[in-house]
Every structure is written in C-alpha cells, then in structure tokens.
Amino acid sequence: MLESRRPRAFAARLDFRVESAPLARHLLRAYLAGHPAGECYRDVAELLLGELFANAVQHAGAPDDRLIEVRFALAGGRLRIEVHDAGAGRPSVRSSSPDEEHGRGLFLVNELAERWGCCPRAGGVGTFVWVLVTPALVAA
C-alpha cells in the first residue's frame, strides 16, 4: 500500500523589525536547499519573501513586541510562502510615479507570483499574505 505523503513545511517566528528580513531569506534558502528542485524557486522566492516581510514591518501597524511568522511549503510543483503579522490591514497593488522611491513591492509580487492573496489569521488577530511561486528554468 502506498503511503500518503504530506508536503514538508517550515515555519518560524522572527522579530518584528526590518533587520529580520535577511534571516527570513536565509531560512528560505536553507529550506529550499533540502529539496532536489529547490534552486528553481530560489531567486524569485527570495525577492517575494523580502517584499512581503518588508511590507509587514512597514504597514502592519502592530506593536513592536509582536512577531512576524514566515511559512514555506512545497507541494504540487509550487512553493507557497506565507508572511503572518498582527496588523489588520489588507495590502493592495498601487501605482507609483517614476520619482517615488517606494510603493512597487506588491507590483513585483503581482508580476512574479503565480497567485497571491491576503487572509485573516486563525483566531482573528492579524492577517497573512501568501504567494505561490512556480519553478523557473535553471540553465545547466
């Protein structure tokens, strides 16, 4: 009898500060290194995780003592990344003028992710943003 295999998932809680973003990306690289096709997701996944993490810190409006949770799971040929925070806001793509230095993060997410969305967290405190990343072709 074949055993049903659940996808291996990873979750970590990090300090609610922008300086935690490099650690989140490091954890993602380590997670992907444990999968045979992990490198096919790495570049786009790191960029998207960095954008989502920065948005959570900048826009969540949560107290500084809260944590940001990141989750990664590979299943069905797609990488799912989630960034959970205690804020109540819901992100949306906005247009930016060429002179603005900020405001393009969700535009990149929208362009590079297969799909993305935002949901309330279980228990009613906060939200999480998720993205689905498809593998990129890696030159041999």
Side-chain angles (χ1 to χ4, degrees):
M1 182 167 121
L2 291 175
E3 183 179 320
S4 173
R5 294 180 56 134
R6 293 174 41 119
R8 290 188 301 161
F10 175 83
R13 291 186 176 136
L14 306 173
D15 288 338
F16 188 83
R17 54 192 182 109
V18 75
E19 293 83 10
S20 296
L23 176 55
R25 290 190 303 272
H26 172 77
L27 293 170
L28 177 62
R29 281 191 302 275
Y31 173 78
L32 291 173
H35 293 277
E39 72 179 64
C40 295
Y41 299 90
R42 188 181 60 230
D43 293 338
V44 171
E46 278 191 61
L47 176 65
L48 297 180
L49 175 60
E51 291 296 336
L52 296 181
F53 200 95
N55 280 351
V57 171
Q58 186 174 11
H59 300 294
D64 291 341
D65 65 342
R66 300 296 179 156
L67 299 174
I68 294 177
E69 183 172 334
V70 294
R71 296 182 187 180
F72 320 129
L74 269 170
R78 288 171 180 77
L79 172 65
R80 181 178 173 101
I81 299 171
E82 297 179 6
V83 176
H84 296 241
D85 64 59
R90 296 184 64 92
S92 62
V93 178
R94 66 180 188 92
S95 59
S96 299
S97 73
D99 298 341
E100 289 182 89
E101 293 184 22
H102 301 285
R104 292 176 186 80
L106 282 178
F107 175 79
L108 287 173
V109 170
N110 197 52
E111 292 297 310
L112 296 175
E114 179 184 40
R115 287 190 321 227
W116 72 279
C118 180
C119 302
R121 293 182 68 200
V125 176
T127 58
F128 70 93
V129 179
W130 57 270
V131 296
L132 293 180
V133 181
T134 55
L137 297 176
V138 176

